[in-house]
Amino acid sequence: MPTLFLAAVFSCLLATEGWAQKAARLGCHLQSFNVTVRSDRQGTCRGTHTIQACVGYCESSAFPSKYSVLRASSFQHNITSVSQCCTISQMQTVKLRLHCSLSLQKTVDLFTAKTCQCDVCRLSRY
């Protein structure tokens, strides 16, 4: 597949109908949604696939810091927070076939969540 094609601007249109209601379910879990990938603004090549995301919530708390923490931080760290975020623990690749004009087809790889878990909150790039 040409690198130029992969570098094309893809736009993702998420089908978010009912997303907030489903995310309110207890815990951290997989949620399906549709993604549409287009090779350019004109939609020369286009395909739709259902992929998985991790949605929901995990436990968090905040409490006054212990005296030892206060001393170690020169009395600047007076609140201790403990929190976890709903995150992807395993991912997998799915192939999406894009249908193009003139009956041409191209294939791109998409990532989808395989399993979710509550874990340390951090910025991640896969």
Side-chain angles (χ1 to χ4, degrees):
M1 182 177 338
T3 307
L4 180 60
F5 182 77
L6 288 177
V9 177
F10 287 117
S11 65
C12 295
L13 305 173
L14 304 179
T16 58
E17 187 174 319
W19 181 276
Q21 294 168 347
K22 292 176 184 175
R25 207 169 86 200
L26 293 177
C28 175
H29 55 274
L30 288 170
Q31 175 66 50
S32 299
F33 66 95
N34 292 325
V35 62
T36 298
V37 177
R38 297 183 303 179
S39 61
D40 52 33
R41 290 186 186 263
Q42 292 77 30
T44 305
C45 298
R46 182 183 178 124
T48 301
H49 200 286
T50 300
I51 62 173
Q52 303 285 327
C54 293
V55 299
Y57 57 91
C58 303
E59 204 168 306
S60 67
S61 60
F63 46 89
S65 297
K66 294 180 183 177
Y67 184 72
S68 59
V69 173
L70 289 169
R71 283 194 55 179
S73 68
S74 299
F75 294 87
Q76 297 298 307
H77 188 86
N78 56 359
I79 297 173
T80 298
S81 297
V82 178
S83 61
Q84 292 188 322
C85 295
C86 181
T87 188
I88 297 171
S89 53
Q90 289 184 312
M91 289 193 348
Q92 64 185 25
T93 304
V94 293
K95 300 237 181 254
L96 171 59
R97 181 170 288 147
L98 301 181
H99 302 281
C100 308
S101 56
L102 303 174
S103 301
L104 296 174
Q105 291 185 352
K106 300 199 183 256
T107 303
V108 295
D109 291 335
L110 295 178
F111 292 106
T112 185
K114 188 174 181 181
T115 59
C116 303
Q117 70 180 27
C118 291
D119 200 357
V120 176
C121 300
R122 62 181 167 265
L123 294 174
S124 297
R125 300 254 185 228
Y126 292 98

